[in-house]
Amino acid sequence: MPAPSASFKKAIKQLGDKEKETLLLKAVRRDAELYDMFAYELGEVTLEELQERSQDVIHELLLNATGRSLTKALAKALRKALKEVARFKRITKDKKAEVELHLYVLGIIFRNYTGQFDSYYKVFYTSTAKLLLKTIQLIRKNLHEDYHLEYKSDIDDYLEQILNRNKPLPIELPKEFEIE
């Protein structure tokens, strides 16, 4: 996305209120993410409502994954789910809610699809391990230590399930989530 130039900013400032409103409404009609961002910023939609919508999208993606190879379909659904998390983050900029969505994705995977970790195709297994590592890093970097305690049991459970597979991983996962 290009940064607005000085001449562009000047042209926008010279527009009247009615013209600005027309341009804004036209832009919002064309871009659903922009609409959601404005709706959130203007208070029409709460953080919880946006988070719930994203959880619904993620739920549908992961639980309706089908195809000849379930593992490949799950890997594709996981990529789409992570794109939804990134979309949510761009709209709200809320770090805790982003971590909660990551944990929601991991929860669905570990409740329903751990059998797919043993598949010949390891992309779903490695993608899940990378997501788990990224979630741990996000928690440590962006959240207060009190939240570390809140998420420790879930993270430790997921780490145990991944590490008990004895399959090689391209990344190094910790044995447990350590609280600093």
Side-chain angles (χ1 to χ4, degrees), residues 58-101:
I58 291 167
H59 185 83
E60 289 296 316
L61 285 169
L62 289 172
L63 292 181
N64 293 333
T66 59
R68 276 193 328 190
S69 171
L70 182 59
T71 305
K72 287 181 181 179
L74 285 170
K76 186 176 181 181
L78 179 57
R79 280 192 302 273
K80 288 181 179 180
L82 292 178
K83 285 180 182 179
E84 177 61 28
V85 173
R87 176 184 178 280
F88 175 84
K89 180 184 173 191
R90 283 191 306 269
I91 292 170
T92 65
K93 314 249 186 307
D94 189 291
K95 308 283 188 194
K96 183 178 184 303
E98 178 192 6
V99 167
E100 287 178 358
L101 282 178

Side-chain angles (χ1 to χ4, degrees), residues 98-168:
E98 178 192 6
V99 167
E100 287 178 358
L101 282 178
H102 276 262
L103 289 170
Y104 182 75
V105 171
L106 288 167
I108 290 175
I109 290 170
F110 282 100
R111 278 192 307 274
N112 300 300
Y113 298 115
T114 53
Q116 297 302 315
F117 291 161
D118 297 325
S119 173
Y120 174 76
Y121 301 105
K122 60 184 182 181
V123 68
F124 179 63
Y125 177 68
T126 56
S127 296
T128 303
K130 287 178 182 177
L131 174 61
L132 182 55
L133 182 61
K134 181 179 180 180
T135 305
I136 291 170
Q137 292 167 344
L138 283 173
I139 291 171
R140 284 192 180 136
K141 180 181 174 191
N142 297 328
L143 299 182
H144 190 268
E145 290 85 19
D146 293 344
Y147 291 117
H148 295 201
L149 284 171
E150 182 180 328
Y151 299 133
K152 181 179 176 25
S153 63
D154 290 337
I155 297 288
D156 284 346
D157 182 43
Y158 300 153
L159 283 168
E160 181 183 337
Q161 290 185 51
I162 283 257
L163 294 172
N164 283 343
R165 297 289 174 183
N166 292 328
K167 288 179 76 173

Side-chain angles (χ1 to χ4, degrees), residues 10-77:
K10 186 177 178 184
I12 292 290
K13 288 180 183 176
Q14 290 176 350
L15 290 174
D17 286 343
K18 187 73 173 165
E19 293 161 325
K20 285 181 188 176
E21 180 182 334
T22 304
L23 276 175
L24 180 63
L25 291 174
K26 195 182 287 186
V28 167
R29 274 194 301 265
R30 291 184 184 179
D31 189 354
E33 186 173 323
L34 185 62
Y35 177 82
D36 286 343
M37 186 172 66
F38 273 108
Y40 176 69
E41 292 292 329
L42 297 172
E44 282 186 28
V45 180
T46 65
L47 177 69
E48 291 78 22
E49 290 172 338
L50 276 175
Q51 188 172 357
E52 194 173 309
R53 279 190 213 162
S54 291
Q55 285 177 340
D56 290 344
V57 169
I58 291 167
H59 185 83
E60 289 296 316
L61 285 169
L62 289 172
L63 292 181
N64 293 333
T66 59
R68 276 193 328 190
S69 171
L70 182 59
T71 305
K72 287 181 181 179
L74 285 170
K76 186 176 181 181

